[in-house]
Amino acid sequence: MPSTTSFTVNGRTYRPPAVPIVVICLDGCANEYLDAALLRGRMPNLSRMILSGWRGLARAAMPTFTNVNNTSIVTGRPPSVHGIGGNFFYDTHSGEEVMMNSSRFVRVETIFPSAAKAGRKVAVVTAKEKLRDIFAAGLITEGGIAFSSEKAADAVKETHGIGGVTEIVGPKPEIYSGDASVYVLKAGVALLERGMADFLYLSTTDFMQHKYAPEAEEILDFHAQIDAELGRLLELGAVVGFTADHGMNAKQKADGSPNVIYLESELVEQFGEGFRVILPITDPYVVHHGALGSFAQVHVPEHVSITEVQAWIQAKQGVTECHDRETAARLMELPSDRMGDLVVASGRDVVLGRTPEHHDLGALEGGLRSHGGRYEEMVPLIFSRPLSLEHAALAAGDPRNFDIFDFTINGTR
Ligand code: ZN
Ligand code: ZN
């Protein structure tokens, strides 16, 4: 019987029910993807889950990127508190662009070590290795499990809390595939079945969503596979909470070419040298998005007026907002010490780039679909059980995707 001992993390108390708890973050799952699959009868288990449980929308953290939102989900707090405002930030002291895919950049603890201390068998499975370090912080020494499908074959007991993953779950999938994500859910099923875990966080990768629009046959097949694993998790008696880190939209012109504002080039042309545009979507997985997203941080050189630059950017077609650091930190709940002078977000079909030379558009297979701005902010929020009156009232307000553990653990009946 799973432990019902309560635990408190980052100001929130969790009172787990005596059943397995599974939270799924389906990376890049805009609501349209679920509708396309549900309407075609490709997700019968999700359909049943919605009918007996609850379905709505939640607001993600800005910028709508993977690391930002996954870190929010596992800590239950916004980026202003946990410190991860993107994959990258520019350290003005050292003059270096710093990649934040390590737990040493996270300023608060995740809920996992406390859940493990409270007697839960915690397992965290992610598709991309880049997130594992953040998820695993403090967990392995408490007896928990954390591994990625990308490096499933390398998981060992000492550092991952588990060895022989490929024998338990199956052969390691290719990272640029839908299988990398299905594998995450398969792993969850295998761990639950074997009694190796009863408190799971399963976080996939958005390779398929970057590549395919909601109605594409390939992604309908993908969602059918996800649904089959979801069905197994429900059969095993788990209460399941389902959300996404961000949505996904086509970012291209009518002719299919990427719709890019090369912000650094344009700023240099307008105001002179010295600008640095940071694109916090940048990561080693360029096939997904060519480092193009709908969000940028701008470092303005000293000889140029920040307010003048702000007004100029704000007037640009395709830009939805441009805030100074303090305003952006407040409105978007961002860590002000890891930001530029200005924060820019772009429209549903527009991405922000640095210079044309900086982006390898050839690496993009097919069209450009991406995320990062406001239009990828609203994501699915689904539970396998009905919500309590209190949480139903909260859900009718402005629920956040990073409230998912609170809702799943404390809010389902
Ligand atoms: Zn993502
Ligand atoms: Zn992405």
Coordinates of all heavy atoms in Angstrom, one line a residue, residues 25-29 64-67 69-70 128 130-131 204-206 210 244-248 371, ligand 1:
C25 N 3.8 14.9 -18.1 CA 4.0 16.1 -18.8 C 4.3 15.7 -20.3 O 5.4 15.3 -20.6 CB 5.1 17.0 -18.2 SG 5.4 18.4 -19.2
L26 N 3.3 15.9 -21.1 CA 3.5 15.5 -22.5 C 4.0 16.8 -23.2 O 3.3 17.7 -23.5 CB 2.2 15.0 -23.2 CG 2.3 14.1 -24.4 CD1 3.0 12.8 -24.0 CD2 1.0 13.9 -25.1
D27 N 5.3 16.7 -23.5 CA 6.0 17.9 -24.0 C 5.4 18.5 -25.3 O 5.2 17.7 -26.3 CB 7.5 17.5 -24.3 CG 8.4 18.7 -24.4 OD1 8.0 19.7 -24.9 OD2 9.6 18.5 -24.0
G28 N 5.1 19.8 -25.3 CA 4.6 20.4 -26.5 C 3.2 20.1 -26.9 O 2.7 20.3 -28.0
C29 N 2.4 19.5 -25.9 CA 1.1 19.0 -26.2 C 0.1 20.2 -26.2 O -0.6 20.4 -25.2 CB 0.7 17.9 -25.3 SG -0.9 17.2 -25.8
T64 N 7.5 30.0 -22.6 CA 6.9 28.6 -22.7 C 7.9 27.7 -23.3 O 7.8 27.3 -24.5 CB 5.6 28.7 -23.5 OG1 5.8 29.5 -24.7 CG2 4.5 29.3 -22.7
F65 N 8.9 27.3 -22.5 CA 10.0 26.4 -22.9 C 10.0 25.2 -21.9 O 9.4 25.2 -20.8 CB 11.4 27.1 -22.8 CG 11.5 28.2 -23.9 CD1 12.2 29.4 -23.5 CD2 11.1 28.0 -25.2 CE1 12.3 30.3 -24.5 CE2 11.3 28.9 -26.1 CZ 11.9 30.1 -25.8
T66 N 10.7 24.2 -22.4 CA 10.7 22.9 -21.7 C 11.3 22.9 -20.3 O 10.7 22.5 -19.3 CB 11.4 21.8 -22.6 OG1 10.7 21.8 -23.8 CG2 11.4 20.5 -21.9
N67 N 12.6 23.4 -20.2 CA 13.3 23.4 -18.9 C 12.5 24.3 -17.9 O 12.4 23.9 -16.7 CB 14.7 23.9 -19.0 CG 15.6 23.0 -19.7 OD1 15.1 22.1 -20.4 ND2 16.9 23.1 -19.6
N69 N 9.4 25.1 -17.7 CA 8.1 24.6 -17.2 C 8.3 23.3 -16.5 O 7.6 23.0 -15.5 CB 7.1 24.5 -18.3 CG 6.4 25.8 -18.5 OD1 5.5 26.2 -17.8 ND2 6.9 26.6 -19.5
N70 N 9.2 22.4 -16.9 CA 9.5 21.2 -16.2 C 10.0 21.5 -14.8 O 9.6 20.9 -13.8 CB 10.4 20.3 -16.9 CG 9.7 19.3 -17.9 OD1 9.2 18.3 -17.4 ND2 9.6 19.7 -19.1
K128 N 14.6 13.4 -22.6 CA 15.9 14.0 -22.9 C 16.8 14.0 -21.6 O 16.3 14.3 -20.5 CB 15.7 15.4 -23.3 CG 15.1 15.6 -24.7 CD 15.0 17.1 -24.9 CE 14.3 17.4 -26.3 NZ 14.1 18.9 -26.5
K130 N 18.9 16.0 -20.8 CA 19.2 17.3 -20.3 C 18.4 17.7 -19.1 O 18.8 18.5 -18.3 CB 18.9 18.4 -21.4 CG 17.4 18.6 -21.7 CD 17.3 19.9 -22.6 CE 15.8 20.1 -22.9 NZ 15.5 21.3 -23.8
L131 N 17.2 17.0 -18.9 CA 16.4 17.3 -17.7 C 16.7 16.4 -16.5 O 16.3 16.7 -15.4 CB 14.9 17.2 -18.1 CG 14.3 18.4 -18.9 CD1 13.0 18.0 -19.4 CD2 14.2 19.6 -18.0
T204 N 8.0 13.8 -21.4 CA 8.4 13.3 -22.7 C 9.2 14.4 -23.5 O 9.6 15.4 -22.9 CB 7.1 12.9 -23.5 OG1 6.3 14.1 -23.7 CG2 6.3 11.9 -22.8
T205 N 9.4 14.2 -24.8 CA 10.0 15.2 -25.6 C 9.1 15.6 -26.8 O 8.2 14.8 -27.2 CB 11.4 14.7 -26.1 OG1 11.9 15.7 -27.1 CG2 11.3 13.4 -26.9
D206 N 9.3 16.9 -27.3 CA 8.3 17.4 -28.3 C 8.8 17.3 -29.7 O 8.4 18.0 -30.6 CB 8.0 18.8 -27.9 CG 9.2 19.7 -27.9 OD1 10.3 19.2 -28.2 OD2 9.1 20.9 -27.6
H210 N 7.0 19.3 -32.8 CA 7.8 20.2 -33.6 C 7.6 19.9 -35.1 O 7.7 20.7 -36.0 CB 9.3 20.2 -33.3 CG 9.6 21.2 -32.1 ND1 9.6 22.5 -32.3 CD2 10.0 20.9 -30.8 CE1 9.9 23.1 -31.1 NE2 10.1 22.1 -30.2
A244 N 1.0 19.7 -20.0 CA 2.1 19.9 -20.9 C 2.9 21.1 -20.4 O 2.5 21.9 -19.6 CB 1.5 20.2 -22.3
D245 N 4.1 21.1 -20.9 CA 5.0 22.2 -20.5 C 4.7 23.5 -21.3 O 5.0 24.6 -20.8 CB 6.5 21.8 -20.6 CG 6.8 21.2 -22.0 OD1 5.9 20.9 -22.8 OD2 8.1 21.0 -22.3
H246 N 4.2 23.3 -22.5 CA 3.9 24.4 -23.4 C 3.1 23.9 -24.6 O 3.1 22.7 -24.8 CB 5.1 25.2 -23.9 CG 6.1 24.2 -24.5 ND1 6.0 23.7 -25.8 CD2 7.3 23.7 -24.0 CE1 7.0 22.9 -26.0 NE2 7.8 22.9 -24.9
G247 N 2.5 24.8 -25.4 CA 1.8 24.4 -26.6 C 2.8 24.4 -27.8 O 4.0 24.3 -27.6
M248 N 2.3 24.5 -29.0 CA 3.1 24.4 -30.2 C 2.3 25.0 -31.3 O 1.1 24.7 -31.5 CB 3.4 22.9 -30.5 CG 4.4 22.7 -31.7 SD 6.1 23.1 -31.2 CE 6.5 21.8 -30.1
H371 N 7.6 27.3 -30.2 CA 6.9 27.8 -29.0 C 7.8 28.8 -28.3 O 8.9 29.2 -28.8 CB 6.6 26.6 -28.1 CG 7.8 25.7 -27.8 ND1 8.6 25.8 -26.7 CD2 8.3 24.7 -28.5 CE1 9.5 24.9 -26.7 NE2 9.4 24.2 -27.8
Ligands
ZN1 ZN 8.9 21.3 -24.3

